[in-house]
Amino acid sequence: QVQLVESGGGLVQAGGSLRLSCAASGRTFSNYAMGWFRQAPGKEREFVARINWGGSTRYSDSVKGRFTISRENAKKTVYLQMNSLKPEDTAVYTCAADPTSSYYYEYWGQGTQVTVSS
């Protein structure tokens, strides 16, 4: 069983930055692919970013160039650095673990709220 706990959300003005963290349990965290997703009010959950066990990353077009996903295996933590935030980035951000690198995210955190004011 893997538990994921997000932190770092909050209220920020447009143009500002936040760094989200996702702390994981589990002995084989370094083997997992990890992803960040978000869900805005009244909208479906959408993919934000992914990092695999080797450090390769992928981003949605809407955040590419502004957000950076990274991981620190010794701390079993994945980060999402969010710069140049826009009001449309307002959402609940959730991290997820893909233990088999199959793009099936088996474990999910509870989420952290990010609100960007204009």
Side-chain angles (χ1 to χ4, degrees):
Q1 188 72 14
V2 175
Q3 291 186 328
L4 303 173
V5 180
E6 301 95 338
S7 61
L11 173 65
V12 64
Q13 288 188 331
S17 298
L18 281 175
R19 189 176 81 155
L20 305 182
S21 299
C22 173
S25 64
R27 293 181 297 173
T28 56
F29 171 80
S30 60
N31 294 337
Y32 300 167
M34 299 293 295
W36 284 98
F37 294 78
R38 67 186 183 187
Q39 186 167 18
K43 295 187 176 182
E44 299 208 349
R45 184 170 61 199
E46 65 171 348
F47 166 78
V48 175
R50 173 183 171 92
I51 185 166
N52 73 4
W53 61 269
S56 295
T57 58
R58 291 182 59 196
Y59 299 92
S60 68
D61 289 343
S62 61
V63 308
K64 197 174 297 182
R66 299 188 297 123
F67 291 12
T68 302
I69 188 171
S70 62
R71 65 191 301 158
E72 193 169 356
N73 289 336
K75 294 185 177 181
K76 297 182 181 179
T77 301
V78 63
Y79 304 98
L80 186 68
Q81 177 68 44
M82 305 186 295
N83 299 329
S84 301
L85 283 161
K86 305 174 181 179
E88 51 264 43
D89 294 318
T90 294
V92 175
Y93 285 71
T94 305
C95 69
D98 168 11
T100 59
S101 295
S102 61
Y103 289 85
Y104 173 68
Y105 292 90
E106 185 171 351
Y107 304 104
W108 294 81
Q110 293 298 309
T112 185
Q113 176 70 47
V114 172
T115 303
V116 184
S117 63
S118 57

